[in-house]
Amino acid sequence: MAENPIKVRVEGEIAYIALNRPEKRNAINQAMLRALPEAIDEVDRNDVRAIIIYGEGQAFSAGIDFTSLSNDSGAQSGQGGGPDMQRFRRFVAESQASLNRIESIEKPVIGALHGFVGGLGLELALACDARIASVGARLGMPEVRIGLVPDVGGTTRLTRTVGYARSKELIMTARMIEAADAEKIGLVNRVVAEGTHLEAAEELAREMARNAPLAVGLAKRIIDKGHGLDKMTFQELEVLAQSSLLMTEDFREGATALAQRREPRFKGR
């Protein structure tokens, strides 16, 4: 049995967060959901410029651990053996908050996907800013097969990522799709050879990490917060972010480096 459901390590400017229940195909339980935001907080520091989330073993994640769904969520602990609905709502709210923490950090987060990426596992991947999938990965949200719906940001993030029609088709059919098909509809950014998903995620992470971290973080927030707003309000977010970035040391360094035709040395301030 894995000692910790989440493993964290930092190598240079990249932090790695691993789902560490390989014997359960990284099925997500309450302990893992609680450890995820703690891991994000641990790597939310100035020297970390990008984060990669991946799964140990044969799969990124098989989705929710049904033992956790039954025992931790209150789904079977109410009076008369029925569900404890208040406890269940708290469980879902905490799960949503866990994935929201991934989305809210002002650093790029990349999901390195392989094997099975289903249900809550895909909801976790959708909380990342970009997704790299290896050949052989299968992605989908099969919740309706057991009479449920994706409830940890799945319907919202999937719709935002692939659009209404594709989102409805994937959720309402419970279909698992291959990585190549996921790339075609924009569910993943790139498909790479089997076994190279982590390496490809590192390449993308380094490409993002070389840029001014404050600008990268605010660009992420503008895109996430502006989605669904009217055009003028969305543009106002751009103005507010830009006016603050103009005052940063990184902007002065970037402009100077461009004039001197050298690589900038950003400090995140």
Side-chain angles (χ1 to χ4, degrees):
M1 187 85 176
E3 183 179 349
N4 297 310
I6 296 292
K7 293 194 304 184
V8 179
R9 74 180 193 276
V10 175
E11 295 182 5
E13 60 193 1
I14 300 176
Y16 298 81
I17 297 176
L19 310 182
N20 189 38
R21 301 185 74 210
E23 75 287 352
K24 297 290 186 179
R25 294 201 302 165
N26 296 316
I28 300 172
N29 60 8
Q30 189 174 46
M32 185 178 284
L33 284 166
R34 288 177 173 172
L36 273 169
E38 294 175 358
I40 291 292
D41 289 343
E42 182 179 340
V43 301
D44 192 3
R45 60 196 213 198
N46 196 51
D47 61 314
V48 170
R49 300 292 174 86
I51 301 165
I52 295 173
I53 298 178
Y54 69 100
E56 296 284 6
Q58 299 301 310
F60 177 75
S61 175
I64 194 165
D65 185 325
F66 280 95
T67 301
S68 180
L69 181 64
S70 298
N71 298 335
D72 299 332
S73 71
Q76 294 182 355
S77 61
Q79 293 183 351
D84 182 337
M85 297 311 300
Q86 287 186 335
R87 183 179 170 191
F88 180 77
R89 284 192 289 269
R90 286 197 301 271
F91 175 82
V92 174
E94 290 173 1
S95 302
Q96 291 173 343
S98 178
L99 301 197
N100 288 345
R101 180 66 184 100
I102 296 169
E103 193 172 59
S104 66
I105 189 172
E106 291 186 18
K107 300 180 188 294
V109 182
I110 300 164
L113 314 179
H114 75 296
F116 194 88
V117 189
L120 185 51
L122 182 54
E123 290 180 302
L124 169 58
L126 283 165
C128 299
D129 301 300
R131 287 158 293 283
I132 304 295
S134 69
V135 170
R138 299 179 67 245
L139 304 89
M141 291 187 176
E143 284 86 346
V144 297
R145 286 183 183 169
I146 60 169
L148 298 174
V149 297
D151 62 355
V152 189
T155 53
T156 53
R157 290 193 179 98
L158 185 63
T159 301
R160 186 174 67 185
T161 303
V162 304
Y164 283 92
R166 295 290 192 184
S167 180
K168 287 178 180 178
E169 181 180 353
L170 286 172
I171 291 173
M172 295 164 69
T173 63
R175 183 185 303 145
M176 299 296 295
I177 63 174
E178 301 296 329
D181 293 324
E183 184 182 26
K184 288 177 183 176
I185 64 173
L187 182 53
V188 301
N189 298 69
R190 192 175 311 154
V191 178
V192 297
E194 189 171 356
T196 67
H197 55 289
L198 197 54
E199 179 183 346
E202 290 170 344
E203 181 180 340
L204 180 58
R206 291 192 183 96
E207 188 175 356
M208 293 178 174
R210 72 184 183 191
N211 297 309
L214 295 177
V216 170
L218 281 180
K220 171 178 174 172
R221 291 200 69 178
I222 290 169
I223 294 167
D224 285 342
K225 299 297 183 182
H227 181 83
L229 296 177
D230 64 275
K231 184 183 73 172
M232 298 306 295
T233 305
F234 205 158
Q235 290 180 340
E236 185 66 17
L237 293 180
E238 296 175 342
V239 173
L240 292 172
Q242 197 76 310
S243 63
S244 65
L245 291 169
L246 280 169
M247 307 300 294
T248 64
E249 185 179 321
D250 277 355
F251 167 66
R252 293 192 294 275
E253 165 62 15
T256 301
L258 181 63
Q260 296 176 352
R261 297 184 179 181
R262 62 172 174 81
E263 287 296 317
R265 296 181 291 272
F266 295 120
K267 298 180 180 178
R269 58 179 187 239

